[in-house]
Amino acid sequence: MLMNAYQRFPVTFVRGKGPFLYSDQNVEYIDCVSGIAVNCLGHAHPVMVAAAKEQSEKLFHISNLYHNDAQTALAQKLIRNSFHQQVFFCNSGTEANELAVKIARKYGHKTAPTKSKILYMKDSFHGRSTGALAITGQQKYQEPFRPLMGDVVECEFNNVEMAKALVNDDFCGIFIEPVQGESGIRAATPEFLQTLRDLADQHDALLVFDEIQCGMGRMGTLFAYQQLDVVPDVVTLAKALGGGVPIAACLTKDKANDVIVPGDHGSTYGGNPFVCAIANAVLTELVDHGVVAAVKERGSYTQKKLNLLRVRYPFIQEIRGTGLLLGIKFDESVVKSSDVVKAAFENRLLLVGAGDNVVRFFPPLNVTLDHIDVMVSRLEQVLETLVPQA
Ligand SMILES: *Cc1c(COP(=O)(O)O)cnc(C)c1O
């Protein structure tokens, strides 16, 4: 019936509340996946429910041939809270990156028809369309689908000298996740980000930050770049932007503004009133009601607890990340991250793996310390069963 695209766990969820999910057998699970960094307010948050109800009685959808007040309000709120000036709304992270590619290409073509190269990072993840996939530095995803979009060049993540050697005036864009999510919660060094900023300036290319996973408060600031001292020309958002409804955004500033003109790009659903009304409610909760401001403290509490597990279980090699963008790196010769995720599932704790033998620890951003205690102690029970027998 369904295309065989996903390997799924043997469970059907029918409802959720806060950090809990309930199966069709009414079994309670605690959710430390959050839809892969989407459900930033947990499940069935009252402000989202209220916004959905209210908007559904007014307007679900109109074409982007017309203005809609929910979209305008969301754009204003995002701009007010960022260093950027223009927004385009679309429906998924992949699409936001696809637009960022088009903006970089068109920007380059203003100077020269040959200024079309894009630098991307090894082990990056930017999405599954043939454009976004072309700048996703992972063979396993690209191989079956070649040829992909051309004129793209791979750089090792955090390799300053390599980036300097590669970038020249033929480049129109440089793409990076400030913290690589899918490949294992690996942070770019400040030196590397500054190098990319300098290279983009020297060669008149656009620096694009993909903050689809690390942005929207998960690191303790609404945007990751706000704590990195480097401001990108373009930033892409999705996942937690809608808190669970499909919405994404591509934001531009200064030289990246006004590249797109009528006829260049579009999206039937992009930024429709229904999703924007809900995203607005989410953003209000995140920014105005203190959810993001509390992430640092909740994050350091969680990191402390996870580090205690690391001391106790030496097959944990490292606790990675900032705020609540956390990864637990396991010693590959002892424990496979997929086995941790599986054993956790059997203990009704939902976790998701990442590359580099890492398990992501992604509670909702409004999680309470009590719920973190439950998550960590359940994880501890799981780890106890995975201790190698001497
Ligand atoms: C999830 C993700 C994407 C893709 O987003 P979709 O909404 O699945 O298209 C792109 N970049 C990063 C960093 C992501 O984590």
Side-chain angles (χ1 to χ4, degrees), residues 195-274:
T195 301
L196 298 182
R197 179 67 275 172
D198 293 344
L199 287 168
D201 292 339
Q202 274 164 32
H203 299 285
D204 196 19
L206 298 181
L207 179 61
V208 182
F209 278 8
D210 177 341
E211 296 205 7
I212 289 164
Q213 193 160 156
C214 64
M216 293 312 290
R218 188 152 284 276
M219 288 175 63
T221 48
L222 189 62
F223 294 90
Y225 70 76
Q226 287 165 331
Q227 50 185 297
L228 298 173
D229 285 337
V230 169
V231 182
D233 303 298
V234 180
V235 58
T236 55
L237 297 173
K239 294 202 164 100
L241 176 61
V245 293
I247 182 170
C250 179
L251 279 66
T252 59
K253 72 189 286 288
D254 301 326
K255 65 182 184 179
N257 291 342
D258 299 317
V259 174
I260 293 296
V261 298
D264 281 339
H265 199 64
S267 167
T268 298
Y269 283 128
N272 93 1
F274 187 70

Side-chain angles (χ1 to χ4, degrees), residues 60-72 74-75 87-92 95-96 99 241 245-250 265-277 279:
F60 275 95
H61 178 83
I62 53 166
S63 166
N64 280 306
L65 290 167
Y66 315 104
H67 292 279
N68 89 64
D69 58 347
Q71 186 181 121
T72 308
L74 181 61
V87 193
F88 183 92
F89 290 111
C90 44
N91 313 289
S92 68
E95 285 172 63
L99 172 57
L241 176 61
V245 293
I247 182 170
C250 179
H265 199 64
S267 167
T268 298
Y269 283 128
N272 93 1
F274 187 70
V275 295
C276 284

